Every structure is written in C-alpha cells, then in structure tokens.
Amino acid sequence: MNNTIEEGKSIAITSYILIIGVLIAMSMNSENKNSFASFHIRQALGLSLTFISFGAIISNFDSFFITFPMWICISILWTYGIFTAIQGQMKPIPLVGNVFQKWFKSIG
C-alpha cells in the first residue's frame, strides 16, 4: 500500500490544479491505475466542478458578501485536499468528499 501511495503521489498532487490538473492526472493514471491517485482525482474533479458551478451561479449576484465566502470555502477544501495528497492520506474532503467518491467511482 505504501508503494502505491508513493507511486501515485505526483499524480494526486497534479489533480488539484483546477480542471486542467484533473485532465492531466486522468491521462497520467490511464495506463497503470493507481488507487491513491484515483481517489484524489475523484476528489479534485468534484472540487473543480463545484467551484465552476458555484462560480457560475454566484457571479450573477455581483456582491462581495456572497462571492467572498464561496472563495474562502473552496480555498479551505482545496487546501485540505492537496495537503492530504502531499501527506499520502486518503481522507475525503469534509462535507462533500464521500459524495464525490460515489458520483465519480468510474473515474480515475
């Protein structure tokens, strides 16, 4: 298991570079599937899609008091995800990580 984590760590970290990183990580993980990398690809994909969706909805309001909390929330979740990847842990992102694992179980 530890060898799997070390092999997939660079792919997992790459996946957290917004949507481009997810696509690159999926490409890197396509031949030799790594369970650690797949876990973080699903987390990062969900986080990227959440960011884009919330951004599209919230951009209509044009209010600092609405956009700032969204940015803080996404930043905290992203930071949590990337630090668990760096530390070699497979902890789901709080609140939404388990949902992302269910929704994207075929991806990775």
Side-chain angles (χ1 to χ4, degrees), residues 3 10 12 25 33 42 45-47 60 70 75 80 85 87-88 97 99 101:
N3 193 26
S10 62
K33 298 282 185 190
R42 289 188 292 270
L45 176 62
L47 201 54
N60 294 322
M70 188 232 20
S75 296
Y80 182 87
Q87 293 173 349
V99 175
Q101 291 301 315

Side-chain angles (χ1 to χ4, degrees), residues 8-84:
K9 197 177 268 192
S10 62
I11 298 171
I13 293 168
T14 302
S15 69
Y16 285 99
I17 305 171
L18 200 53
I19 197 71
I20 298 298
V22 171
L23 297 174
I24 293 168
M26 288 173 71
S27 169
M28 292 169 66
N29 198 38
S30 64
E31 287 183 29
N32 299 328
K33 298 282 185 190
N34 182 294
S35 59
F36 179 75
S38 295
F39 175 85
H40 283 284
I41 288 170
R42 289 188 292 270
Q43 296 289 292
L45 176 62
L47 201 54
S48 294
L49 293 176
T50 300
F51 172 71
I52 292 167
S53 300
F54 281 176
I57 294 167
I58 291 174
S59 66
N60 294 322
F61 295 103
D62 193 32
S63 170
F64 176 77
F65 296 107
I66 296 174
T67 57
F68 186 69
M70 188 232 20
W71 277 97
I72 294 297
C73 180
I74 293 294
S75 296
I76 290 170
L77 295 177
W78 178 83
T79 302
Y80 182 87
I82 198 163
F83 275 111
T84 57

